[in-house]
Amino acid sequence: MANISKKICLVGDFSVGKTSLIRRFVEDKFSDRYLSTVGVKISRKVVEFATNQINQSVNLLIWDIEGQTKFQSIAPSYLKGASGSIIVADITRPETLESLQRHLDLFFSVNPQGLVMVALNKSDLAVEEKLARIIQLYNFDLHPQVLATYVTSAKTGEYVELMFRQLAENMIKPLV
Amino acid sequence: MATTNQANGSNSNSQSETEIQENLNTLIDLISELNQVEENLTSSNQKDKINKKQHYKPDKDITLEIKQEKKSASTSTDNNFRNKEENKNPILGKEKNLDSLPQRHTTNDNSVIEEGVTVVAEGRSDYEMGIQTPSLSKQCTDDGVLEPNAPKAKSLTLAINQPSQITPLADNTNLVYISENKYTKSQKSIATLQQSVKNLENKLKDNQHQLDEIIDSVNSLISLTVELINLQSNTSPTSIVSIIAPLIDRIIETRSTEDLQIMGKALSTVLPVAITQQIAATPQSIAKALAPEIALSIQEQILLDKESISRSIGPEMGKAIKAQIELERDAMVDALYPVIGSTIAKYMGEVVNTINEKVENALSVEGVKRKIRAKVQGVSEAELILQEALPYQVQAIFLIHKASGLVIRELQPDLDHQLESDLVAGMLTAIRSFANDLISDSSELDEIDYSEYKILLEVAGYCYLAVVVKGEPSKQFRQKTRDVLSKLVLKHGNIIEVYDGDSSTVPESIALLLEELLEQDRQQKSSGSPSTLIWLIVILLSVIFVPWGIFKYKNYVADRVLQQAAIELDAAPELSVYRLTSHIEQGKLILSGRVPSEYLRNIAAERIAKIAQEAKLTLENQIVAINVPTDPTITQEEVERVTSILNQQEGVAILSDYKDYAVTVTGFTLNQTRDALIAQTFKQIPGVEQVIINLDKQLPIVDNRIYFASGSLELNSADFTNSVNQIGQLLAMYPQLHLRIIGHSDRSGIPQDNQKLAQDRANKVATALIAQEINSKRLYIMGSIEPPPGVTANQPLQKSRCVRFEFFIPDRGKNTHNS
């Protein structure tokens, strides 16, 4: 049993693929069906890795938080105590990309020390050139606590595992 | 040539049809060519006849001309024409007067034309009709050339001058030139062209006419058609229907593509009625048509107005459920079972718990109970103590970081049912946050109740304690959790505050504190185990069964007593024939039955008394002694026997009659004391219930005396008969009665004789009586010379000469001899 537990949250507008990303990471599965998450869903996955030749493991508690809609904003209380967060946007929907900054601000307002990954999801639905442009436009890597911006696809699994792992490792680092 | 254009211009005025114009243009071209040819011709032939043609040479351009009737003057519209005509010579004298007028130069030409035209006209009467164009005639008027009789003109003819001139030329020409040949040929072609133009124009005109006519007729037809349709629909609607039917759908289709709104408006009024009708006629089809859409439409309506559907269906739901229950109860039960089952289970659980509590309060003898149960179940007391924990059992204790929902420390005593602590903690945290956000930040979620499980939440500053409990935790337990949490916070508050998921930072003492909660739990137990319910049942059962057992035992004892009694009663032979029963009731042995006599009743009581005494019961003798109806014949005999015995006594002569249990006694008793004896004697006879005594105290007196004549023994038969009847009856009735026959004689004569006479007289009567079958033994005869009683000496002697009778009852044994 992992003796270190960390809470991470997935934040983003509705239907950007938060639940799918988690599903891909935890169960390595994908479904086209859209299931709206109500409230919160919590998943758990133990991530093991070696840091400085020491085998480490972290018990990731992944909070899948109901996406933000026009009518309902994300409850900040769900974000409390999260060590990290993955802010998700849907590259096929510009308005979700526009929301990224707002989500970032919200997360940092609750967890000033938190680490963040930005996932530009549904990369399987866009062509290369567009991807490149979007990555250029929405790059938050300059922010000190934003670890990276990845173009992910829950469908193909592209960058999903990597993103989660990196986040997990970075959350552990200060302790090592 | 320039003139061609002008002609063209006028042409275009008159004709709008471009086609025709084009044709004309080509014609004009042709004509101009022809004119050239003609010119050539003329130059070569200077003959006057041909001059005409030369005159007309300049005219070749003019294509339009108003042609009048032969007599009337024609006007040319073209000034050029006129100017050119000035040089021309009039040819026909007939029209010379016209020529004088400078303006009418043209008329010369016209007359020439006429000539030509007439020639041409022969073959082209149709062309003559020409085109009547108002524009043309107008133009004529503008020029002021038009003659007053111009209106007479039947037609304004589009005439080509050239051909008309050419024709006469052709007619007249006897000279044959090559060019002439050529000319003729072209003339012919022109003719055909003209023909075709004319045809075209005609057709056009026709068409236009037809169109106009059609329009007119259609207009007038519309009203007609309407009427026709009306009429037709009245007379034979089916035909109308068959005509219109195939068109209707197209009409509607077209119309609805044109204006959907109007169409909708028009149909909207009819639709509800139509639907109603259709539903009435064939409800199935409507149902089929609508069915697939109903679900969708309901969904749509819910989207539009969430409340409306529930509002409209709501009031009917109750009824619907009721109806469904009536219709198919099982289906309803199945549908509701999952809900009701758990509800009832929960409710029952609560009820049992309340019962438990109450029972506990009533019987607080835990220790005793446990000991007894330990013996009964054959288990150790310690084990029982554990089992008593059943009412509430701590399944898990989580110390959770308030903000992140990470588990700081957990305790799960039950190893079989380990909960996913991380997820549980996370979800609890989410639920807490949600509840706080939703309701109020200041209030706290204390408890989550999940049927038989409860999750108690105790919240401190940076952490909270979640205790999963199965069953109903006590108040003390709640207090304890609070205490434990406050201790935790006091001791380790700072560690908890900065907890970031690393469990190694959590001191072991936290776990120890939490374990305290489990300990507490065990000490608390005891209370309200369902076994108290078992005790209740045991008591209830004993309440039922103990009296029942006592009752059974009593019954057993009673049975034995009764059995003895029965044997005892049987043992007495005089009682054995009677059905005597005994039963026991409230400490009494009761005998019942019937016996014919008090005696037997007493015997029975005596025999049973001993048994009753042994069983310590008081005896109650309810045996009834009753009269058994006796045999009437036997009673009768007995009555007779008693009667005869009584009759043997002194001074008794009785008769008895037994009837209906009553004895009627008649007769005589001389001793009054005997009456009571007689009555008692008869009463003692079984079957005699009543004795009626009707006895005379005196024997009957016979008044009749038999009188004799003086010194005679002769019987007066009348006297005798009277006496005998009376005496005979009485003697017959009472055998005990005897009769004394006493003879008397009068005092006259010798007393000795008289004595004998008296004796004889008595004998005489006795003999007569014996002759009447009266027993002689019952007769006692004596004679006396004394006068009979009641007769004195001074009475006539006859009264003394008689025999009289006296009844008597002789003493026993003494009999008649003695007296």
Side-chain angles (χ1 to χ4, degrees):
Chain A
M1 192 175 141
N3 55 4
I4 295 177
S5 301
K6 290 290 175 191
K7 170 181 175 179
I8 63 170
C9 297
L10 269 82
V11 183
D13 286 358
F14 74 96
S15 190
V16 293
K18 297 180 291 298
T19 306
S20 293
L21 282 172
I22 293 167
R23 193 147 186 242
R24 168 59 73 194
F25 175 59
V26 176
E27 298 173 48
D28 202 23
K29 280 179 187 163
F30 177 78
S31 163
D32 267 324
R33 239 150 33 96
Y34 174 57
L35 289 169
S36 184
T37 305
V38 178
V40 177
K41 189 181 165 243
I42 295 166
S43 310
R44 188 171 67 107
K45 181 158 180 172
V46 177
V47 181
E48 287 173 357
F49 47 85
T51 317
N52 306 333
Q53 270 74 46
I54 304 164
N55 279 333
Q56 281 258 313
S57 70
V58 61
N59 184 24
L60 276 189
L61 288 165
I62 307 160
W63 286 47
D64 181 7
I65 297 170
E66 187 175 5
Q68 171 156 1
T69 64
K70 267 183 242 168
F71 315 104
Q72 195 171 8
S73 55
I74 291 163
S77 55
Y78 290 146
L79 300 176
K80 276 186 197 164
S83 307
S85 173
I86 296 174
I87 315 279
V88 190
D90 177 356
I91 53 161
T92 62
R93 281 156 58 218
E95 72 271 16
T96 66
L97 293 164
E98 290 302 324
S99 303
L100 282 172
Q101 186 61 53
R102 216 174 46 248
H103 295 313
L104 270 174
D105 293 344
L106 176 70
F107 180 73
F108 286 128
S109 72
V110 178
N111 300 297
Q113 303 302 313
L115 300 175
V116 167
M117 282 282 182
V118 177
L120 306 177
N121 197 28
K122 305 197 188 177
S123 66
D124 53 298
L125 295 177
V127 288
E128 280 296 326
E129 311 88 77
K130 197 187 171 191
L131 281 176
R133 209 177 64 242
I134 288 170
I135 290 166
Q136 243 182 350
L137 270 170
Y138 299 98
N139 198 322
F140 301 92
D141 292 350
L142 286 176
H143 195 289
Q145 279 158 266
V146 174
L147 297 169
T149 304
Y150 283 112
V151 176
T152 59
S153 167
K155 193 170 183 178
T156 64
E158 190 186 15
Y159 290 118
V160 176
E161 175 89 13
L162 178 75
M163 179 177 64
F164 274 97
R165 281 190 157 275
Q166 268 192 17
L167 182 63
E169 281 178 47
N170 280 285
M171 287 190 299
I172 295 295
K173 250 178 204 164
L175 298 171
V176 175
Chain B
M1 280 194 185
T3 45
T4 318
N5 289 335
Q6 281 174 340
N8 233 349
S10 66
N11 224 356
S12 69
N13 269 337
S14 64
Q15 286 293 357
S16 57
E17 252 71 38
T18 49
E19 270 180 67
I20 287 173
Q21 209 168 357
E22 273 168 18
N23 281 334
L24 287 174
N25 286 343
T26 48
L27 262 178
I28 289 158
D29 291 344
L30 272 171
I31 288 162
S32 61
E33 266 179 69
L34 270 172
N35 280 345
Q36 269 182 337
V37 172
E38 225 177 322
E39 229 172 329
N40 295 340
L41 263 175
T42 336
S43 57
S44 59
N45 293 322
Q46 288 298 323
K47 292 191 177 171
D48 51 348
K49 271 188 185 177
I50 302 163
N51 278 346
K52 284 185 265 181
K53 285 183 284 182
Q54 282 174 323
H55 289 286
Y56 285 102
K57 200 179 86 181
D59 283 346
K60 64 186 183 225
D61 291 337
I62 295 158
T63 52
L64 243 166
E65 192 190 341
I66 299 163
K67 184 181 166 268
Q68 295 281 337
E69 289 293 306
K70 279 167 194 169
K71 293 184 274 178
S72 67
S74 297
T75 35
S76 169
T77 52
D78 207 303
N79 289 330
N80 292 344
F81 178 78
R82 206 167 48 209
N83 297 335
K84 281 163 192 172
E85 282 301 301
E86 277 174 15
N87 307 323
K88 310 298 178 284
N89 299 322
I91 292 161
L92 297 170
K94 194 172 142 187
E95 301 197 319
K96 261 178 188 164
N97 53 336
L98 290 172
D99 286 346
S100 60
L101 292 165
Q103 281 187 330
R104 301 287 162 93
H105 276 296
T106 47
T107 47
N108 286 336
D109 310 326
N110 277 345
S111 61
V112 176
I113 291 162
E114 267 174 25
E115 256 190 314
V117 167
T118 41
V119 179
V120 177
E122 276 178 37
R124 305 174 187 173
S125 56
D126 58 331
Y127 189 73
E128 290 286 326
M129 288 174 75
I131 300 166
Q132 289 178 307
T133 44
S135 57
L136 252 183
S137 51
K138 196 181 170 213
Q139 199 169 5
C140 297
T141 336
D142 288 346
D143 289 331
V145 188
L146 208 62
E147 280 285 324
N149 46 356
K152 274 170 81 185
K154 284 229 168 114
S155 60
L156 293 167
T157 315
L158 181 73
I160 296 151
N161 294 326
Q162 279 316 81
S164 56
Q165 286 160 357
I166 288 159
T167 333
L169 172 75
D171 283 341
N172 298 329
T173 312
N174 295 318
L175 308 163
V176 180
Y177 300 104
I178 298 160
S179 57
E180 207 174 305
N181 273 338
K182 214 174 159 187
Y183 172 77
T184 333
K185 269 184 195 170
S186 45
Q187 203 184 12
K188 268 181 194 167
S189 70
I190 286 164
T192 46
L193 265 169
Q194 275 176 333
Q195 181 87 28
S196 65
V197 168
K198 249 167 108 186
N199 280 340
L200 258 168
E201 280 169 357
N202 279 343
K203 271 185 192 166
L204 189 77
K205 223 176 124 186
D206 277 1
N207 281 342
Q208 224 167 19
H209 271 281
Q210 276 172 3
L211 198 71
D212 287 345
E213 273 171 38
I214 284 169
I215 287 165
D216 280 351
S217 58
V218 164
N219 281 338
S220 61
L221 267 175
I222 286 170
S223 57
L224 246 167
T225 343
V226 171
E227 269 177 60
L228 257 174
I229 288 168
N230 277 340
L231 205 73
Q232 186 69 1
S233 59
N234 282 339
T235 50
S236 63
T238 47
S239 65
I240 285 281
V241 167
S242 61
I243 291 162
I244 296 176
L247 293 176
I248 291 232
D249 53 343
R250 259 190 286 166
I251 291 168
I252 292 169
E253 207 175 317
T254 326
R255 188 69 185 134
S256 39
T257 47
E258 277 170 21
D259 193 339
L260 207 59
Q261 286 293 329
I262 286 178
M263 200 57 189
K265 216 175 184 181
L267 285 177
S268 63
T269 49
V270 198
L271 270 177
V273 184
I275 290 169
T276 317
Q277 285 292 331
Q278 178 65 6
I279 285 170
T282 52
Q284 283 293 325
S285 65
I286 279 280
K288 256 184 199 160
L290 289 179
E293 286 308 305
I294 285 196
L296 267 180
S297 57
I298 288 172
Q299 266 175 18
E300 199 63 28
Q301 178 62 15
I302 286 169
L303 281 180
L304 286 175
D305 184 358
K306 276 185 188 175
E307 297 299 308
S308 69
I309 285 281
S310 34
R311 263 206 307 274
S312 51
I313 294 179
E316 290 308 306
M317 284 293 270
K319 279 184 217 163
I321 290 170
K322 243 184 185 172
Q324 178 61 12
I325 286 171
E326 273 165 26
L327 214 73
E328 215 184 334
R329 181 179 288 267
D330 286 348
M332 234 16 220
V333 169
D334 272 5
L336 292 177
Y337 184 79
V339 188
I340 288 176
S342 57
T343 311
I344 289 174
K346 196 183 172 196
Y347 177 72
M348 283 308 290
E350 279 166 14
V351 168
V352 168
N353 281 341
T354 5
I355 292 172
N356 276 340
E357 271 172 39
K358 285 187 179 165
V359 169
E360 271 166 49
N361 294 340
L363 326 154
S364 51
V365 277
E366 253 86 355
V368 181
K369 272 194 307 183
R370 203 180 301 132
K371 279 201 171 72
I372 294 167
R373 267 185 301 144
K375 276 202 173 170
V376 171
Q377 295 173 4
V379 290
S380 75
E381 238 184 288
E383 219 168 317
L384 278 178
I385 293 170
L386 271 177
Q387 280 183 7
E388 277 172 5
L390 273 175
Y392 73 91
Q393 207 167 15
V394 174
Q395 302 274 310
I397 302 171
F398 302 116
L399 185 65
I400 301 165
H401 192 242
K402 200 168 160 187
S404 64
L406 295 172
V407 179
I408 300 167
R409 187 74 209 207
E410 62 170 315
L411 272 184
Q412 297 203 50
D414 188 351
L415 293 171
D416 293 337
H417 301 94
Q418 288 286 316
L419 296 169
E420 270 272 16
S421 55
D422 293 322
L423 299 184
V424 170
M427 278 323 288
L428 282 174
T429 310
I431 292 165
R432 262 201 69 248
S433 309
F434 175 74
N436 285 357
D437 286 353
L438 196 74
I439 300 160
S440 159
D441 264 328
S442 56
S443 62
E444 272 300 340
L445 188 65
D446 287 335
E447 189 174 292
I448 295 169
D449 206 336
Y450 190 78
S451 97
E452 53 180 329
Y453 289 93
K454 262 189 188 357
I455 301 172
L456 305 179
L457 298 175
E458 281 304 329
V459 185
Y462 293 97
C463 65
Y464 67 95
L465 201 57
V467 186
V468 182
V469 176
K470 189 181 181 186
E472 191 69 36
S474 64
K475 276 176 186 166
Q476 292 93 324
F477 183 71
R478 274 223 86 121
Q479 190 53 52
K480 185 68 191 171
T481 56
R482 261 173 227 142
D483 295 346
V484 166
L485 185 62
S486 55
K487 269 190 222 168
L488 273 173
V489 173
L490 272 176
K491 267 192 178 176
H492 311 287
N494 43 356
I495 298 170
I496 291 167
E497 188 183 340
V498 297
Y499 180 71
D500 63 351
D502 188 352
S503 52
S504 59
T505 59
V506 180
E508 199 53 27
S509 55
I510 288 183
L512 288 174
L513 268 172
L514 290 178
E515 266 165 34
E516 216 173 276
L517 211 52
L518 280 178
E519 296 284 322
Q520 167 75 4
D521 180 37
R522 277 184 197 150
Q523 283 166 19
Q524 275 277 323
K525 318 235 163 183
S526 70
S527 47
S529 80
S531 54
T532 46
L533 190 65
I534 293 168
W535 274 102
L536 183 74
I537 290 166
V538 167
I539 288 162
L540 276 175
L541 288 180
S542 61
V543 164
I544 294 164
F545 283 109
V546 169
W548 184 73
I550 292 166
F551 172 74
K552 273 281 168 190
Y553 173 72
K554 278 188 173 174
N555 266 7
Y556 166 73
V557 172
D559 276 351
R560 239 178 35 189
V561 170
L562 291 177
Q563 217 169 357
Q564 282 176 353
I567 291 164
E568 192 61 43
L569 287 172
D570 253 353
E574 65 268 49
L575 294 173
S576 62
V577 292
Y578 304 109
R579 204 166 65 87
L580 295 179
T581 56
S582 51
H583 66 276
I584 289 165
E585 200 177 272
Q586 293 176 346
K588 286 180 194 168
L589 178 61
I590 297 164
L591 270 178
S592 59
R594 284 171 179 183
V595 290
S597 67
E598 193 66 25
Y599 168 70
L600 290 174
R601 180 177 178 270
N602 292 335
I603 288 173
E606 269 172 44
R607 281 177 169 270
I608 299 301
K610 282 185 283 174
I611 297 165
Q613 208 171 3
E614 278 170 25
K616 293 172 185 170
L617 294 166
T618 51
L619 180 71
E620 191 171 313
N621 192 355
Q622 288 183 353
I623 293 172
V624 182
I626 51 153
N627 284 324
V628 180
T630 47
D631 189 342
T633 54
I634 293 166
T635 311
Q636 178 78 44
E637 279 166 17
E638 186 67 12
V639 168
E640 279 168 18
R641 196 175 60 84
V642 168
T643 309
S644 67
I645 288 167
L646 285 172
N647 272 338
Q648 282 167 18
Q649 291 184 358
E650 205 184 337
V652 175
I654 52 167
L655 286 174
S656 64
D657 181 27
Y658 176 72
K659 200 181 177 185
D660 294 339
Y661 308 110
V663 177
T664 311
V665 183
T666 51
F668 313 95
T669 49
L670 301 180
N671 190 339
Q672 210 155 7
T673 55
R674 301 272 177 170
D675 281 6
L677 183 69
I678 289 166
Q680 211 173 356
T681 311
F682 276 112
K683 266 189 180 168
Q684 280 172 352
I685 299 166
V688 174
E689 287 171 1
Q690 202 181 5
V691 179
I692 300 158
I693 302 290
N694 192 11
L695 291 173
D696 280 337
K697 304 297 170 288
Q698 284 181 335
L699 290 173
I701 293 159
V702 183
D703 294 331
N704 289 330
R705 292 172 182 180
I706 300 166
Y707 293 98
F708 288 87
S710 180
S712 165
L713 291 170
E714 190 78 23
L715 270 175
N716 185 330
S717 59
D719 290 347
F720 178 72
T721 313
N722 283 338
S723 302
V724 162
N725 286 342
Q726 197 186 3
I727 290 160
Q729 277 176 11
L730 281 165
L731 284 176
M733 274 173 78
Y734 302 103
Q736 300 80 23
L737 285 185
H738 287 229
L739 188 68
R740 205 176 270 139
I741 304 165
I742 306 155
H744 289 274
S745 59
D746 58 20
R747 57 192 180 265
S748 63
I750 305 153
Q752 283 176 338
D753 291 345
N754 282 348
Q755 179 64 44
K756 194 177 181 295
L757 189 62
Q759 193 74 40
D760 287 345
R761 280 176 179 163
N763 281 336
K764 184 80 179 180
V765 170
T767 314
L769 280 174
I770 289 162
Q772 293 291 322
E773 293 179 1
I774 289 171
N775 191 355
S776 59
K777 285 181 182 172
R778 295 169 69 185
L779 301 177
Y780 185 75
I781 304 154
M782 57 184 284
S784 165
I785 52 168
E786 294 298 314
V791 176
T792 54
N794 48 5
Q795 278 182 324
L797 289 174
Q798 196 190 342
K799 290 275 183 186
S800 300
R801 296 186 299 260
C802 68
V803 170
R804 61 179 179 94
F805 305 98
E806 254 179 35
F807 283 107
F808 72 96
I809 297 166
D811 286 337
R812 254 197 188 173
K814 279 185 204 170
N815 247 336
T816 46
H817 323 283
N818 299 338
S819 47

